Amino acid sequence: MSAGGPAAAEGKDTGGLRAALGGLTTRGRSFLAAGIAAAVCAYVLGQSDLLRVGLLLAVLPLVCVAVLYRTRYRVAASRRLSPARVPAGAEARVHLRMDNVSRLPTGLLMLQDHVPYVLGPRPRFVLDRVEAGGRREVSYRVRSDLRGRYPLGPLQLRLSDPFGMCELTRSFSAFDTLTVIPRTEALPAVRLAGESSGYGDGRHRSLALAGDDDVIPRNYRYGDDLRRVHWRSTARYGELMVRREEQPQRARCTVLLDTRRVAYQGAGPDSAFEWAVSGAASALVHMLERGFSVRLLTDTGSSVPGEGADGFAGSTQESADSAGLMMDTLAVVDHSDGAGLSPSYDVLRGGNEGLLLAFFGDLDEEQATLAARMRRRSGAAVAFVLDSRSWVTGGAVAGSVEDRLRLLREAGWTALAVSPGAHLSDLWRQAGRERSESSGSGTNGFSGGWS
């Protein structure tokens, strides 16, 4: 919620009294002009009664300006997004709240919130008189088919006096950001030989933070269960010691997203690149739900969530934050200017990758060879290769793509071509069947699974 005290949320003085005079409506200007004209005529003709009428006509809009200028700083506003992170194509609701913090009632209030055009038209609301200390709440919906981070605000408030003589527009300084993440698709639980529900999957594993007691004690920390106190060590060291928990190993998964500009043709929500981004988002969410430690890697070599724990998502308690961080990254990921996959290959050369899920764009022979070598650094590797030209023309997958798939399969990849409009869930099942068949025949030397 973007809110604050009256001083924080009541806006800025951008024009002073001169700006307030500029807010005179046509009616207010007419009254002012008529009053001045009447006063001049009264002076020339010597008519005191006409002078009184002229002064009344001229002073009335000026009094409205003065009152409105003073009361515009006694209205506070706040905005709340529900939710602040939505998938592309889904709706979010924006709640606006206006508080009259003055001792006087307001006149007619007109609200307008600034939103990017991709979220829809600018919402406008008319609020009736707000009593002293009163509150009004309104809401509107926003929706975008394009992922990204979109600023909402500033909120503009137009104040008017009861006579319609003056209208003042003021802007609040608070902004909010709506994050539109890629669409995700629910994936089936594909099981391979030797799978063990998140533990023991893949050849390489990382440490989790839950398990049975370890015989090595540690210092007591605030909040530790007193039933875990290790009294023998406490007596030995002279300070309270508790039994540690052993750290069982959690399977790892790296989701590799190819973002090279040269690897994709076309643009828009239905382009090959957007399918790859959505596929990567679906895969990492699914693997986190299955108990894997997941890392998002791009062709530029950048890794999310970061360098901690070798760049992989941490413990179960941190998985939600890690998922949010990776989804926020995918919300704004764009094409890279790199021409090759070498930076990501250098990151994978360190090994300890576990399962590798890759979403590739167009691959020439050199990049396909480099991608094939990535298989040596992982326990199992599944590649989804997009022929972006077929996504633009709507034709069949080119024969060169089949050659690249054959090269990847010979290196041990489970490689699938992605045709226009394909569903990742169907490809996911197909990849599971091919992995099961190859594991059963023992052609790839991999034991374990992914789900």
Side-chain angles (χ1 to χ4, degrees), residues 91-104:
E91 290 185 344
R93 184 168 289 275
V94 182
H95 301 269
L96 302 176
R97 190 181 75 183
M98 301 298 301
D99 293 281
N100 182 12
V101 297
S102 67
R103 298 180 180 179
L104 298 175

Side-chain angles (χ1 to χ4, degrees), residues 36-73:
I36 295 176
V40 171
C41 292
Y43 177 77
V44 173
L45 300 176
Q47 297 291 329
S48 58
D49 294 337
L50 183 59
L51 179 62
R52 297 189 187 95
V53 173
L55 291 177
L56 176 63
L57 294 176
V59 169
L60 181 59
L62 297 179
V63 171
C64 292
V65 167
V67 173
L68 201 60
Y69 173 75
R70 182 174 181 273
T71 59
R72 69 173 181 151
Y73 291 100

Side-chain angles (χ1 to χ4, degrees), residues 150-312:
Y150 301 103
L152 300 179
L155 178 65
Q156 286 188 338
L157 175 64
R158 182 179 298 174
L159 305 174
S160 64
D161 64 279
F163 301 102
M165 299 289 181
C166 181
E167 290 183 353
L168 294 181
T169 301
R170 48 153 292 211
S171 296
F172 295 86
S173 59
F175 285 83
D176 282 279
T177 301
L178 176 68
T179 303
V180 181
I181 61 177
R183 294 184 180 93
T184 57
E185 187 175 348
L187 302 180
V190 178
R191 300 181 63 87
L192 301 181
E195 184 187 8
S196 179
S197 184
Y199 290 92
D201 297 299
R203 187 168 55 191
H204 300 285
R205 306 175 180 93
S206 61
L207 296 179
L209 295 179
D212 300 329
D213 294 340
D214 196 341
V215 296
I216 303 177
R218 61 169 174 80
N219 292 331
Y220 174 82
R221 299 171 186 168
Y222 178 79
D224 285 337
D225 190 348
L226 293 178
R227 291 175 297 181
R228 304 184 64 84
V229 173
H230 194 266
W231 297 109
R232 182 178 301 177
S233 298
T234 299
R236 178 180 179 182
Y237 294 105
E239 57 181 328
L240 205 57
M241 308 290 289
V242 296
R243 295 188 298 272
R244 292 197 306 177
E245 295 177 339
E246 75 170 1
Q247 298 181 333
Q249 294 184 324
R250 183 180 301 276
R252 288 179 170 180
C253 174
T254 297
V255 178
L256 173 61
L257 176 62
D258 181 8
T259 64
R260 295 172 299 134
R261 189 180 304 274
V262 297
Y264 298 94
Q265 299 181 23
D270 298 325
S271 64
F273 180 68
E274 292 302 322
W275 191 98
V277 174
S278 179
S282 301
L284 67 88
V285 169
H286 177 76
M287 301 310 293
L288 283 172
E289 291 176 350
R290 303 300 295 178
F292 281 70
S293 292
V294 181
R295 173 177 63 176
L296 174 64
L297 181 66
T298 65
D299 59 289
T300 61
S302 60
S303 177
V304 181
E307 299 300 328
D310 297 328
F312 288 83

Side-chain angles (χ1 to χ4, degrees), residues 231-411:
W231 297 109
R232 182 178 301 177
S233 298
T234 299
R236 178 180 179 182
Y237 294 105
E239 57 181 328
L240 205 57
M241 308 290 289
V242 296
R243 295 188 298 272
R244 292 197 306 177
E245 295 177 339
E246 75 170 1
Q247 298 181 333
Q249 294 184 324
R250 183 180 301 276
R252 288 179 170 180
C253 174
T254 297
V255 178
L256 173 61
L257 176 62
D258 181 8
T259 64
R260 295 172 299 134
R261 189 180 304 274
V262 297
Y264 298 94
Q265 299 181 23
D270 298 325
S271 64
F273 180 68
E274 292 302 322
W275 191 98
V277 174
S278 179
S282 301
L284 67 88
V285 169
H286 177 76
M287 301 310 293
L288 283 172
E289 291 176 350
R290 303 300 295 178
F292 281 70
S293 292
V294 181
R295 173 177 63 176
L296 174 64
L297 181 66
T298 65
D299 59 289
T300 61
S302 60
S303 177
V304 181
E307 299 300 328
D310 297 328
F312 288 83
S315 63
T316 303
Q317 293 84 353
E318 299 172 355
S319 60
D321 295 337
S322 300
L325 179 60
M326 288 185 280
M327 295 300 287
D328 288 346
T329 301
L330 290 176
V332 297
V333 68
D334 201 357
H335 292 291
S336 67
D337 295 328
L341 300 171
S342 298
S344 58
Y345 175 77
D346 293 337
V347 174
L348 295 174
R349 290 179 63 182
N352 299 326
E353 304 305 326
L355 173 64
L356 176 60
L357 302 174
F359 294 83
F360 292 121
D362 297 332
L363 296 174
D364 56 24
E365 184 175 356
E366 179 183 357
Q367 300 308 316
T369 302
L370 186 62
R373 293 165 57 187
M374 295 179 182
R375 166 64 180 84
R376 306 173 188 174
R377 305 298 177 180
S378 62
V382 181
F384 301 93
V385 183
L386 292 89
D387 178 18
S388 62
R389 179 174 300 179
S390 67
W391 283 73
V392 175
T393 61
V397 176
S400 59
V401 177
E402 296 296 337
D403 296 336
R404 307 294 183 257
L405 294 176
R406 188 178 305 109
L407 179 61
L408 294 175
R409 289 164 183 163
E410 291 175 354

